Amino acid sequence: MLGASSERNPEAHPVTDLHFPRPHDDPREPGSLARWLVSDGARVRSGAPVAEVVTDGAPRTVRAPASGTLWRQGRAGERFTAGAIIGLVE
């Protein structure tokens, strides 16, 4: 296709980062991504549960920060510090 580009246009599709939550006890302590609740590339609504993480030894649900398509950046079992980007919603 003439003039087609595979590069993203952030103005056409804004992206919202999905961050690993801050633990209650010590924000410097890493936690783990227990499992994803939605598939990569799935449509999600703002506030919908998308992942489960373990921080402070307790499971927590991570919710979509915006409506759109979820692109997973982290894998189940990986450890993350607070604020790390674990996914994107476009």
Side-chain angles (χ1 to χ4, degrees):
M1 181 186 305
L2 187 60
S5 172
S6 61
E7 292 184 31
R8 288 189 63 262
N9 178 352
E11 291 178 16
H13 300 283
V15 174
T16 303
D17 296 336
L18 176 64
H19 295 276
F20 194 85
R22 181 172 307 280
H24 298 292
D25 290 344
D26 185 352
R28 295 168 296 176
E29 279 297 311
S32 62
L33 176 58
R35 68 184 179 122
W36 286 101
L37 303 175
V38 297
S39 301
D40 197 40
R43 297 280 304 162
V44 296
R45 289 193 173 277
S46 180
V50 295
E52 288 181 356
V53 300
V54 177
T55 62
D56 304 325
R60 295 173 64 182
T61 301
V62 177
R63 299 185 177 277
S67 295
T69 303
L70 175 72
W71 301 107
R72 303 184 321 192
Q73 303 295 301
R75 292 187 307 261
E78 278 189 273
R79 294 183 58 77
F80 296 92
T81 55
I85 296 172
I86 61 172
L88 306 169
V89 178
E90 179 177 51

